[in-house]
Amino acid sequence: MRVAAVGWLAFIVFATLSGLSSRPVLVDSETVLITAVERFCAYGVLGFLCGLSFPDRPRLVLSAIIGLAAGLELAQFLVPDRDPRLIDALEKVLGGLAGFVAAPVATSLIRSVSHLRFWSSP
């Protein structure tokens, strides 16, 4: 799981710091809502993977998500055609927190239904 978290983190760094022409896009005409959902979900996946990878280190994971969102948003000042904004960082932080909270919930849910038999043998 940690390898997946690191890989996803590398993708986020690339997507955040690459120029607009190199940046991955979801659809051809991205609205404000689509880009907000994109940011939220990207960091949600990161928070989820980190929550699964480090369930006993919540402060570290939450600090890293907040620091990463803020740091990468500030680093966009160094990229000529990017425009860092506080609202973008907040969307990323909220997504990361939501993913982190979802990880133990999903783990608990999977454990509680794993003993159920969905397919009965004839």
Side-chain angles (χ1 to χ4, degrees), residues 26-79:
L26 209 55
V27 293
D28 290 334
S29 59
E30 290 186 334
T31 64
V32 173
L33 178 62
I34 289 174
T35 54
V37 169
E38 203 175 72
R39 287 184 202 105
F40 184 89
C41 290
Y43 275 77
V45 170
L46 181 65
F48 187 80
L49 292 172
C50 288
L52 292 177
S53 298
F54 304 100
D56 56 335
R57 309 290 304 266
R59 288 187 199 149
L60 174 68
V61 172
L62 295 176
S63 298
I65 289 171
I66 293 167
L68 179 71
L72 286 177
E73 201 64 31
L74 288 173
Q76 286 186 13
F77 279 115
L78 304 173
V79 181

Side-chain angles (χ1 to χ4, degrees), residues 8-120:
W8 192 252
L9 172 60
F11 174 74
I12 286 176
V13 170
F14 169 76
T16 304
L17 298 181
S18 62
L20 286 178
S21 60
S22 302
R23 185 180 160 281
V25 291
L26 209 55
V27 293
D28 290 334
S29 59
E30 290 186 334
T31 64
V32 173
L33 178 62
I34 289 174
T35 54
V37 169
E38 203 175 72
R39 287 184 202 105
F40 184 89
C41 290
Y43 275 77
V45 170
L46 181 65
F48 187 80
L49 292 172
C50 288
L52 292 177
S53 298
F54 304 100
D56 56 335
R57 309 290 304 266
R59 288 187 199 149
L60 174 68
V61 172
L62 295 176
S63 298
I65 289 171
I66 293 167
L68 179 71
L72 286 177
E73 201 64 31
L74 288 173
Q76 286 186 13
F77 279 115
L78 304 173
V79 181
D81 58 350
R82 298 307 298 260
D83 56 336
R85 299 180 314 156
L86 180 60
I87 189 69
D88 296 350
L90 290 175
E91 291 162 358
K92 294 170 181 179
V93 167
L94 290 175
L97 295 176
F100 180 75
V101 168
V105 172
T107 302
S108 176
L109 183 63
I110 289 169
R111 284 187 183 140
S112 67
V113 299
S114 65
H115 71 282
L116 299 176
R117 295 182 66 189
F118 291 103
W119 313 110
S120 59

